[in-house]
């Protein structure tokens, strides 16, 4: 806004004149109004006129108008008020009008500090009836400079969103023509003549405004491309710098075209047609944005909210420019609302927050009754991200590692784990320094655990060939083979888990897998993995340890990199990124890689009755709650008294406060619950429905209830069987299905590392027994080649007449 002309509207008659030729005033992009001769509403009307942009209108004032009206004008988009008296200037200053929104007339002109500092002399302020193009060109000539020999002026062309379309040149003559035609007219240096953009192609430009830069040596033309073609550049791109990115403006364009053309069954069409659905989606996304925590979650949710908001704008005929205009006006306000939210959106001051969310408050579980099915459903829903959301974060990581190999692996380890690596792989024999800090006591504990896990998994090993003669002369068999190369993921984000290393490594060794590879995120402190993990790796004969975690480690093992060998199967638990990446690679035929199961954030469901020891119950809940903020622990109480529930809550709180990971526990307990029910049958129904990773039975005659368990990863029976035993040392595996996948998956066991090959041997006698059946079914399937393979043999054996068709 440093154009050297300021149109002046002295009266309502001038407004009429502007209305008739308003384009011309708006091309100049700034106006001065004599506020004393207008009613406030008339000025506000001028501002709501789409061609007067908020922040381009100056209003000259005398003290005739009230202070409230001055504030009202400034709050509604007036750039600045211009006053003649110093006293009045001081008064307005005192009532709080900011300095840059106030100017003082001196010698018929004034200086504005609003935005770019600019002075308007008496000669530049011109009543609209005298505002001719010649006047404008003359004023411009006095203000504009060029150091070019051809005397042309550098001209930046931008679209209505201020996006640069290209750089061109103007002469005074071309500017004059542009103002006259309200069109994009420039000077062509190559043709050495006036250039009316689109004169031949029909892709003309509507001129919105002309501006001069701060030191008067460059012009800016704001234009709207017309004539159907929105490409500015002769190379057929939107701008001379290539196409624009895909932001809100492009989304608006896309949705506008969808409004016209989208097929009846498309989702966007559904949104346009169903106002209730659109309202629900906007509310849903707004709520999800308020609940988002990490930067990636917040940007993801905000993008969703923008999308649905944009659908509403397009459906209602409101443009992004209208919204921006409102933003500009709001930005110009000099008085602000307090900013409080409406009451219905505010938490009532006396409304107690769930106690565990209060920092340092007691850590208690939410209690619901089994009869309240809605509440139970809410309590049993797991705190996990939606698949498409987590995949959205994980896919680019996996794809980059697949494409760029070690380089990407090293980059992501730096980004997510804060460790700069030279090489992402440690090869066996593992260097001595990696065992530093390992005590004898620890070695003994790991040895004992490994031995028990070995015993239990060795017993599961299927070595024998299974043989069945289904008909005389038809022998079917099945024999096991180890999966050759396995990649074992050992979590290491919030806790180092050498126990997982042994839970995966020992059965892999028992199954005789040919190559065992470990992957675990390196420690930030020294870039190494813990000596306990390295100890287990050595014991089970792992050939390599990949020093990486998360989706990137999974991708490296699935596709292979320069230094990480590609494996046939990836096993092991991990957070949501790890689990999502495993699910991605198992579905990608390029990876040719299977996985054990979805084994995500730990969870436990404890069924307890009135006889249960409150301290035991609390300790079991907390042992899983401390795994991570996305863990979940559920207590299903069978006919528990209020007193018992209180005892358990007190024990949870007291024990939790002693734990070093109390902050994690507190967040986990926030989405964990006690479900009260009235019978054992009801408790097992709830448990089977939830399909927990771990099920703990702290009830009388617990063993008796095992036949009622249908969905669970692993069961811990009786008061003296805490889940920690299974996590470390008893012998069962702790890598178990979560998210409710215990309905269809088993936990890791020895056969997870094996595959089974079938074989058969058919004698002539056997062919005689089954050959005709094969031929009949092949015939009905229309597969004559299959049928023929039997027929030829049977005919040669004389089991079918030669004439048999
Ligand atoms: N189901 C089971 O059998 C079982 C067994 C043991 C552990 N667990 C669970 O395993 C999980 C281990 O999780 P963890 O986080 O401690 O370790 P982890 O090793 O699974 O994950 C850490 C990695 O996550 C990645 N990561 C973290 N934030 C990221 C982001 N914003 N974007 C992309 N990647 C990111 C990083 O690469 C990091 O190396 C816990 O939830 C625990 O409960 C489950
Ligand atoms: N409870 C986890 C499985 O969900 C395993 C584990 C490892 N260390 C301690 N616990
Ligand atoms: Zn555990």
């Amino acid at each position: 806004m440093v154009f050297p002309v300021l149109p002046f509207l002295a009266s309502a008659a001038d407004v009429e004149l502007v209305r008739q030729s308003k384009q011309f005033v708006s091309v100049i992009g700034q106006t001065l109004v004599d506020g004393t001769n207008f009613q406030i509403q008339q000025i506000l009307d001028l501002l709501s006129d789409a061609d007067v942009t908020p922040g381009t209108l100056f209003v000259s004032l005398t003290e005739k108008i009230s202070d409230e009206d001055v504030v009202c004008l400034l709050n509604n988009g007036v750039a600045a008020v211009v006053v003649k008296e110093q006293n009045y200037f001081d008064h307005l200053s005192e009532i709080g009008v900011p300095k840059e929104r106030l100017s003082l007339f001196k010698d018929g002109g004034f200086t504005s500090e609003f935005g770019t500092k600019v002075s308007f002399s008496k000669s530049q302020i011109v009543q609209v009836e005298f505002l001719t193009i010649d006047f404008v060109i003359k004023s411009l000539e006095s203000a504009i400079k060029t150091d070019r020999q051809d005397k042309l002026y550098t001209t930046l062309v931008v679209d209505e969103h201020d996006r640069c379309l290209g750089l061109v040149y103007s002469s005074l003559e071309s500017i004059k023509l542009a103002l006259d035609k309200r069109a994009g007219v420039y000077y062509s240096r190559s043709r050495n003549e006036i250039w009316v953009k689109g004169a031949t192609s029909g892709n003309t430009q509507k001129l919105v405004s002309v501006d001069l830069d701060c030191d008067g040596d460059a012009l800016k033309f704001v234009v709207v491309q017309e004539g159907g073609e929105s490409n500015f550049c002769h190379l057929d791109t939107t701008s001379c710098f290539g196409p624009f990115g895909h932001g809100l403006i492009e989304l608006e364009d896309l949705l506008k075209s969808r409004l016209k053309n989208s097929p009846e069954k498309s989702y966007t069409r559904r949104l346009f047609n169903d106002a209730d659905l659109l309202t629900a989606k906007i509310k849903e996304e707004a709520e999800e944005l308020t609940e988002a925590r990490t930067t990636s979650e917040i940007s993801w949710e905000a993008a969703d909210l923008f999308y649905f908001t944009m659908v509403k704008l397009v459906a209602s005929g409101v443009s992004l420019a209208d919204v921006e205009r409102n933003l500009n006006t709001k930005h110009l306000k000099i008085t602000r609302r307090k900013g409080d939210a409406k009451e219905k959106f505010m938490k009532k001051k006396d409304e107690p927050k769930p106690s565990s969310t209060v920092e340092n408050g007691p850590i208690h579980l939410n209690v619901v009754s089994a009869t309240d099915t809605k509440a139970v459903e809410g309590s049993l829903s797991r705190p996990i991200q939606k698949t498409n959301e987590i995949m959205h974060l994980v896919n680019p990581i996996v794809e980059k590692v697949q494409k760029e190999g070690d380089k990407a692996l090293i980059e992501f380890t730096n980004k997510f784990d804060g460790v700069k690596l030279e090489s992402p792989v440690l090869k066996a024999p593992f260097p001595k320094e990696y065992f530093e800090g390992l005590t004898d006591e620890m070695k003994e504990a790991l040895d004992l655990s490994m031995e028990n896990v070995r015993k239990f998994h060795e017993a599961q090993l299927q070595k024998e060939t299974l043989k069945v003669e289904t008909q005389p002369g038809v022998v079917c068999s099945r024999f096991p083979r180890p999966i050759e190369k396995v990649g074992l993921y050992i979590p290491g984000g919030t806790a180092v888990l050498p126990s997982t290393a042994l839970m995966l490594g020992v059965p892999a060794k028992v199954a005789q897998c040919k190559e065992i590879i470990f992957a675990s995120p390196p420690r930030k402190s020294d870039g190494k993995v813990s000596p306990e993990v390295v100890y287990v790796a050595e014991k089970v004969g792992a050939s390599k340890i990949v020093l990486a975690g998360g989706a990137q480690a999974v991708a490296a093992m699935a596709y292979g990199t320069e230094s990480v060998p590609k494996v046939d199967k990836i096993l092991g638990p991990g957070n949501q990124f790890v689990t999502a990446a495993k699910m991605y690679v198992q579905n990608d035929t390029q990876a040719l890689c299977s996985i054990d199961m979805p084994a995500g954030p730990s969870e436990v469901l404890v069924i307890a009755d009135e006889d249960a020891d409150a301290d035991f119950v609390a300790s079991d809940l907390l042992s899983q709650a401390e795994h991570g903020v996305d863990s979940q622990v559920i207590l299903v109480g069978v006919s528990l008294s209020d007193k018992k529930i209180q005892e358990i809550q007190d024990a949870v709180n007291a024990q939790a406060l002693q734990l070093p990971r109390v902050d994690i526990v507190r967040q986990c307990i926030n989405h964990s619950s006690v479900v009260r029910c009235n019978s054992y049958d009801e408790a097992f129904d709830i448990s089977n429905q939830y399909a927990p990773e771990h099920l703990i039975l702290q009830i009388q005659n617990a063993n008796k209830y095992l036949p009622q368990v249908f969905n669970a990863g692993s069961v811990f029976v009786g008061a003296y069987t805490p889940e920690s035993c299974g996590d470390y040392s008893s012998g069962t595996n702790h890598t178990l299905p979560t998210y409710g996948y215990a309905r269809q998956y088993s936990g890791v066991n020895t056969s997870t590392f094996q595959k089974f090959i079938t074989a058969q041997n058919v004698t002539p006698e056997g062919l005689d027994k089954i050959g005709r059946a094969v031929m009949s079914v092949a015939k009905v399937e229309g597969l004559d080649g299959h049928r023929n393979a039997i027929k030829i043999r049977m005919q040669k054996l004389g089991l079918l007449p030669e004439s048999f068709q």
Side-chain angles (χ1 to χ4, degrees):
M1 273 216 329
V2 287
F3 203 76
V5 178
L6 184 60
F8 177 52
L9 311 182
S11 66
D14 285 345
V15 175
E16 226 7 77
L17 215 68
V18 169
R19 289 243 150 89
Q20 284 158 22
S21 63
K22 65 182 177 190
Q23 298 263 22
F24 187 53
V25 170
S26 71
V27 166
I28 289 172
Q30 56 203 8
T31 322
L32 175 66
V33 170
D34 184 348
T36 322
N37 290 341
F38 284 83
Q39 287 173 1
I40 297 299
Q41 193 53 49
Q42 286 176 305
I43 301 176
L44 296 182
D45 287 348
L46 254 183
L47 274 164
S48 63
D49 188 324
D51 277 326
V52 179
T53 314
T56 64
L57 190 70
F58 298 95
V59 177
S60 65
L61 290 179
T62 63
E63 279 180 76
K64 272 192 196 161
I65 86 166
S66 70
D67 292 348
E68 286 75 28
D69 284 344
V70 175
V71 171
C72 171
L73 289 174
L74 291 169
N75 274 349
N76 283 284
V78 165
V81 290
V82 189
V83 300
K84 295 203 170 103
E85 305 288 335
Q86 182 68 46
N87 282 351
Y88 191 29
F89 183 100
D90 295 341
H91 167 74
L92 290 178
S93 245
E94 271 162 29
I95 65 161
V97 175
K99 198 170 112 253
E100 67 278 9
R101 310 289 294 277
L102 260 181
S103 292
L104 192 62
F105 260 120
K106 251 191 197 156
D107 308 324
F110 68 95
T111 296
S112 165
E113 297 203 359
F114 176 72
T116 315
K117 186 171 175 178
V118 57
S119 294
F120 294 105
S121 65
K122 196 175 174 181
S123 62
Q124 289 168 339
I125 302 174
V126 55
Q127 211 163 324
V128 286
E129 64 178 294
F130 304 116
L131 187 67
T132 59
I133 292 182
D134 283 339
F135 178 88
V136 173
I137 293 295
K138 229 172 162 184
S139 307
L140 191 59
E141 193 176 4
S142 66
I144 195 167
K145 315 185 277 233
T146 177
D147 45 19
R148 295 176 55 89
Q149 287 201 331
D150 57 12
K151 297 292 170 221
L152 295 178
Y153 305 110
T154 309
T155 306
L156 187 69
V157 186
V158 304
D159 72 3
E160 67 273 38
H161 303 288
D162 243 350
R163 295 177 302 179
C164 177
L165 295 169
L167 193 73
V168 296
Y169 292 86
S170 302
S171 64
L172 285 176
E173 205 189 341
S174 73
I175 301 167
K176 191 172 170 181
L177 208 56
L179 292 176
D180 191 31
K181 287 175 167 291
R182 319 281 191 267
V185 182
Y186 313 103
Y187 195 89
S188 163
R189 287 172 309 155
S190 55
R191 295 197 302 271
N192 207 13
E193 61 181 21
I194 299 268
W195 161 36
V196 180
K197 174 88 177 126
T200 45
S201 66
N203 298 324
T204 50
Q205 295 177 334
K206 179 181 153 198
L207 180 62
V208 177
S209 67
V210 179
D211 211 346
L212 194 59
D213 78 348
C214 53
D215 57 359
D217 62 0
L219 283 163
K220 182 171 94 173
F221 271 43
V222 181
V223 298
V224 175
Q225 290 285 134
E226 287 181 326
E229 211 11 279
S230 63
N231 290 342
F232 175 79
C233 180
H234 71 291
L235 295 181
D236 242 5
T237 52
T238 332
S239 86
C240 293
F241 300 95
F244 295 129
H246 292 276
L248 289 178
I249 300 167
E250 273 67 26
L251 178 62
E252 182 185 35
D253 287 346
L254 182 74
L255 288 172
K256 276 185 187 161
S257 76
R258 292 274 157 84
L259 182 63
K260 281 194 209 140
N261 309 323
S262 63
E264 215 35 55
K265 289 215 166 108
S266 74
Y267 183 59
T268 315
R269 168 66 52 204
R270 261 185 74 203
L271 289 172
F272 283 135
N273 289 349
D274 185 346
D276 288 345
L277 173 65
L278 182 55
T279 303
K281 287 305 295 178
I282 292 175
K283 286 185 181 170
E284 180 185 316
E285 297 304 340
E287 187 175 302
E288 285 176 6
L289 177 60
T290 62
E291 286 162 3
R293 292 285 168 269
T294 63
T295 48
S296 50
E297 282 167 11
I298 293 169
S299 59
W300 176 261
E301 294 303 342
D304 281 351
L305 185 57
F306 282 142
Y307 169 78
F308 289 105
T309 306
M310 195 63 96
V311 174
K312 172 133 188 164
L313 294 181
V314 171
S316 324
V318 176
S319 69
L320 199 53
D322 295 332
V323 177
E324 283 174 348
R325 195 181 163 85
N326 268 296
L327 281 172
N328 289 343
T329 306
K330 287 177 188 193
H331 172 71
L332 291 172
K333 273 184 192 280
I334 58 167
T335 56
R336 310 239 166 243
R337 281 200 301 151
K338 235 172 103 195
D340 289 345
K342 283 187 187 159
E343 209 173 313
K344 68 173 178 173
F345 295 114
M346 294 288 286
K347 280 227 162 64
K348 306 260 178 336
K349 288 229 164 53
D350 46 1
E351 183 183 289
K353 288 187 188 164
S355 44
S356 51
T357 63
V358 181
E359 221 179 308
N360 304 325
I363 298 175
H364 283 168
L365 293 122
N366 176 40
V367 182
V368 300
S369 161
T371 52
D372 185 346
T373 44
K374 255 224 129 34
V376 173
E377 199 185 309
S379 300
L380 299 187
S381 76
R382 289 163 167 96
I384 50 175
Q385 268 182 288
K386 287 188 209 145
T387 305
N388 62 347
E389 290 172 9
I390 191 78
M391 284 303 184
H392 177 77
L393 301 172
V394 159
N395 291 2
I397 300 178
V398 174
E399 282 159 15
K400 197 166 156 79
V401 173
Q402 183 188 5
K403 233 196 266 160
E404 296 176 19
D406 282 352
K407 180 174 163 279
L409 197 55
I410 289 172
E411 256 173 53
F412 284 128
T413 305
N414 189 15
K415 179 171 175 186
F416 294 124
D417 302 297
V419 176
K420 279 191 182 158
L421 294 170
E422 292 284 307
S423 158
V425 169
L426 197 65
K427 287 189 194 140
F430 304 115
K432 265 209 171 73
E433 73 212 63
Y434 273 80
F435 294 86
E436 266 165 30
L438 190 65
T439 61
D440 286 344
E441 190 192 353
M442 180 51 63
K443 282 189 203 164
E444 275 166 34
L446 290 172
D447 287 346
L448 174 98
S449 303
M450 277 194 278
E451 180 51 15
N452 291 343
V453 172
R454 188 200 59 75
K455 275 188 207 155
F456 189 55
H457 288 75
E458 185 94 42
Q460 298 166 23
L461 182 65
Q462 303 185 49
K463 301 179 199 154
E464 310 306 329
T465 298
L466 174 91
K467 256 191 193 166
V468 177
E469 189 164 16
T470 54
Q471 292 284 335
V474 181
V475 178
C476 298
S477 63
R478 194 187 80 152
F479 52 90
R481 288 285 181 269
I483 291 170
E484 276 185 31
K485 292 182 180 178
V486 289
L488 312 182
Y489 186 83
I490 326 293
T494 69
V496 186
L497 301 183
S499 56
T500 304
L502 70 90
M503 290 293 172
L504 298 168
V506 171
K509 188 172 182 211
V510 168
Q512 296 167 19
C513 295
K514 272 198 192 140
E515 182 158 19
I516 300 174
I517 289 162
F518 275 21
S520 195
R523 296 189 293 216
K524 204 169 175 179
S525 55
D526 58 3
K528 293 181 179 155
V529 284
S530 89
E532 294 81 13
V533 171
V534 184
Y535 178 72
V536 176
E538 190 186 64
K539 283 269 165 169
V540 302
S543 62
K544 294 186 176 76
I545 302 177
V546 181
L547 302 170
Q552 58 276 21
V554 172
M557 294 193 288
Y559 300 101
T561 69
E562 300 89 317
S563 57
V564 181
K566 185 219 167 319
V567 300
D568 302 313
K569 186 166 186 173
I570 296 176
L571 303 96
N575 62 18
Q576 295 185 49
F577 300 100
V578 173
T579 312
K582 279 169 62 184
M583 292 172 96
Y584 177 107
V585 298
Q586 89 161 333
N587 284 321
D588 184 3
T589 47
Q590 305 233 308
L592 209 64
C593 183
S594 69
I595 66 164
D596 47 357
M597 79 201 93
S602 301
E603 52 192 47
V604 65
L605 186 146
V606 180
I607 300 182
D609 59 17
E610 193 69 12
D611 279 355
D613 183 311
D615 292 328
F616 291 2
V617 173
S619 68
D620 286 345
L621 293 170
L622 292 173
S623 74
Q624 293 315 290
E626 74 172 352
H627 267 295
V629 295
D630 43 8
S631 287
Q632 189 175 55
V633 301
I634 304 288
L635 168 63
V636 179
V638 182
S639 310
L640 290 187
S641 63
D642 290 349
K643 182 168 165 276
K644 190 76 183 183
I645 292 198
Q646 194 53 49
E647 268 175 43
I648 295 172
Q649 297 272 35
D650 290 347
V652 165
N653 185 51
Q655 292 180 27
L657 292 177
Q658 300 306 315
L659 296 173
R661 290 164 72 97
V662 59
D663 290 341
I664 292 179
V665 168
R666 197 181 279 281
Q667 291 182 65
C668 166
I669 296 292
N670 266 340
H671 43 245
S672 299
S673 306
V674 180
V675 182
R676 298 178 83 162
C677 66
N678 292 320
S679 70
Y680 293 102
D681 286 350
E682 207 181 349
F684 281 95
D685 279 351
I686 294 169
S687 174
N688 285 324
Q689 166 95 5
Y690 183 70
E693 181 196 7
H694 306 102
L695 170 62
I696 300 184
L697 305 181
Q698 298 216 30
I699 50 181
Q700 282 180 349
N701 304 318
N703 251 319
K704 184 180 109 184
Y705 289 93
L706 277 180
Q708 293 208 45
V709 178
F710 289 97
N711 299 324
S714 195
V715 191
F716 299 79
V717 189
Y720 293 94
T721 319
E723 197 226 296
S724 313
C725 289
D727 274 351
Y728 296 109
S729 309
S730 54
T732 59
N733 208 289
H734 83 200
T735 311
L736 299 165
T738 60
Y739 303 132
Y741 278 107
R743 284 166 179 278
Q744 49 275 97
Y745 281 101
S746 319
V748 161
N749 56 79
T750 311
S751 69
T752 320
F753 295 84
Q754 294 179 300
K755 63 202 177 202
F756 295 88
I757 302 171
T758 56
Q760 57 196 282
N761 179 229
V762 182
T763 62
E765 185 193 6
L767 204 57
D768 193 25
K769 290 275 182 242
I770 63 171
R772 283 173 193 78
V774 175
M775 286 168 66
S776 299
V777 182
K779 188 173 186 180
V780 83
E781 288 188 354
L783 298 175
D784 279 10
H786 289 63
R787 182 177 148 86
N788 222 22
I790 305 290
K791 192 174 125 190
I792 284 173
R793 286 177 171 81
M794 288 185 71
Q795 279 176 335
K796 279 204 178 165
L797 286 167
L799 296 172
L800 285 179
E802 278 302 317
S803 57
F804 183 87
Q805 283 309 305

